[in-house]
Amino acid sequence: MIESSGHRPAQLASPSLTRACMALAVAVLIGLAVIGAVAKERQGADGLQAAGVAAFTCWFSATAALLLAGSLRHTGHSVSGILGGTLLRTMIPLAVAAVTQASGSPLAEAGLFGYLVLFFLLTLTIETLLLVWLLRPDLKMPAGKNRREAV
């Protein structure tokens, strides 16, 4: 950890919303490379396509949720942004899974639902970590004071 003056560790700067969205996209691309390779080996081209659809669906819904919560973070509606984001990130993959399963498409046969679950959990984890980083309060205190004196 980098020490700043006053014997307290320097905090990591909060990322911009754009950087948070890019970090989410990179995590999904890495997940797609790993999961897509396994899907192609197990189910061929249909498995790779199912993994790609699941990755895109979960990336899109998680990015929409991150943008909603992040854009409302410094307003009086930050909790509403988080709850609305939760609704978006849950309902979009659920709708894709329901439509695909009901239609009996080859993607359903290739295991789209399972890939949606994997990518949902991946994006949920990454998005939660990014939101905690984005939404944390700035604790700016004078160098000579500690937290107990400031409260």
Side-chain angles (χ1 to χ4, degrees):
M1 237 185 253
I2 300 171
E3 291 286 328
S4 65
S5 63
H7 302 294
R8 69 183 176 103
Q11 293 183 356
L12 295 173
S14 292
S16 69
L17 192 53
T18 305
R19 286 187 181 176
C21 289
M22 289 189 320
L24 179 64
V26 168
V28 171
L29 286 174
I30 291 169
L32 180 59
V34 172
I35 294 170
V38 172
K40 185 171 182 181
E41 185 177 314
R42 293 181 71 192
Q43 289 123 349
D46 285 343
L48 182 59
Q49 187 178 10
V53 168
F56 177 78
T57 301
C58 292
W59 166 80
F60 179 78
S61 63
T63 301
L66 188 61
L67 287 171
L68 181 61
S71 64
L72 296 176
R73 68 182 160 174
H74 296 300
T75 68
H77 305 289
S78 58
V79 174
S80 298
I82 293 170
L83 293 174
T86 301
L87 184 66
L88 277 174
R89 79 161 348 274
T90 304
M91 296 310 290
I92 293 172
L94 186 61
V96 169
V99 168
T100 306
Q101 290 292 80
S103 68
S105 75
L107 290 177
E109 296 297 321
L112 177 66
F113 185 76
Y115 294 124
L116 278 169
V117 170
L118 286 173
F119 280 104
F120 182 85
L121 293 173
L122 172 71
T123 55
L124 177 64
T125 302
I126 300 300
E127 182 205 356
T128 301
L129 293 172
L130 289 169
L131 273 177
V132 166
W133 198 11
L134 278 171
L135 299 177
R136 72 177 182 189
D138 289 330
L139 300 174
K140 295 181 181 177
M141 288 182 250
K145 296 204 176 223
N146 64 26
R147 288 185 183 175
R148 286 189 181 165
E149 293 173 359
V151 175

